Amino acid sequence: MMELIKKPWPWYVAGPLIGLIVPTLLLLGNKHFGISANLRHICAACFPANIPFFQYNWKKEIWNLFFVAGILVGGFIAAHWLSDSNAVSIAPALAAELRAYNVTDTRHLLPQEIFSWEHLLTLRSFILLIVGGFLVGFGTRYAGGCTSGHAIMGLSNLQWPSLVATICFMAGGFVMANVLLPIIMKL
């Protein structure tokens, strides 16, 4: 059983399970799936202020905060008890490309040459982590939701804004991965 949990699930199992979240949430009380709105719920709960954006009944969405807590707990469990002690297996072509960018640590899921405290203040890591994080947050707010909210929930409900947002997410991802990332990785 542990081997089943440790290995990645094939798309034909994981995809339908994710897809079944949408009708389940709609049947359980017209709930909407998404992650980014939870920051608003947390701010409204923890920092009550006279800001109109945070003046709403956040308790109605408390189920979603339990969902986020489950993600955090699941990530902790996976990292501490379900992780593989072997080096991450990557394609030889990717390993060669990463070596060209001076990224050689494949012992962890996240390369230490980018995702570590000691490399945080390098220009490359600063752009990827800080600037990239800001742009993701800004884009999420500007688009009115995150990729999971738009691509899973919005497309399932045939919402035109979600289709536009998902196309833009994908186009931005292609440009970043194929044009900007190689430039940033050379820094």
Side-chain angles (χ1 to χ4, degrees):
M1 182 67 171
M2 287 302 283
E3 284 305 313
L4 177 67
I5 294 173
K6 284 185 174 186
K7 291 182 180 178
W9 289 8
W11 65 268
Y12 52 84
V13 174
L17 286 175
I18 292 170
L20 288 173
I21 290 173
V22 174
T24 302
L25 288 175
L26 291 174
L27 290 172
L28 290 175
N30 203 24
K31 305 286 186 195
H32 294 275
F33 179 73
I35 300 299
S36 62
N38 289 299
L39 181 58
R40 180 181 183 210
H41 303 327
I42 292 168
C43 289
C46 297
F47 307 111
N50 238 355
I51 302 170
F53 184 70
F54 295 126
Q55 292 180 343
Y56 66 98
N57 186 8
W58 61 268
K59 293 178 183 175
K60 187 176 86 171
E61 302 296 329
I62 200 161
W63 71 272
N64 219 349
L65 296 176
F66 283 104
F67 178 71
V68 171
I71 290 172
L72 294 173
V73 170
F76 179 82
I77 290 170
H80 286 84
W81 292 296
L82 300 176
S83 61
D84 190 355
S85 60
N86 298 325
V88 177
S89 177
I90 59 175
L94 177 59
E97 184 178 350
L98 288 174
R99 275 193 302 278
Y101 299 133
N102 295 321
V103 176
T104 57
D105 183 8
T106 60
R107 293 173 295 152
H108 307 285
L109 189 58
L110 302 173
Q112 297 299 302
E113 291 93 352
I114 300 171
F115 300 98
S116 67
W117 289 110
E118 71 181 72
H119 291 96
L120 178 62
L121 297 179
T122 63
L123 183 58
R124 174 172 64 179
S125 289
F126 182 81
I127 291 171
L128 289 174
L129 299 177
I130 307 300
V131 175
F134 173 78
L135 289 174
V136 167
F138 175 79
T140 298
R141 184 69 194 122
Y142 187 73
C146 60
T147 52
S148 60
H150 280 300
I152 297 172
M153 193 74 188
L155 290 180
S156 297
N157 290 321
L158 303 176
Q159 295 178 0
W160 173 252
S162 292
L163 177 62
V164 172
T166 302
I167 290 170
C168 290
F169 292 150
M170 294 301 295
F174 290 139
V175 169
M176 179 61 194
N178 296 301
V179 178
L180 298 175
L181 187 61
I183 294 169
I184 295 169
M185 290 300 289
K186 290 179 184 174
L187 296 175

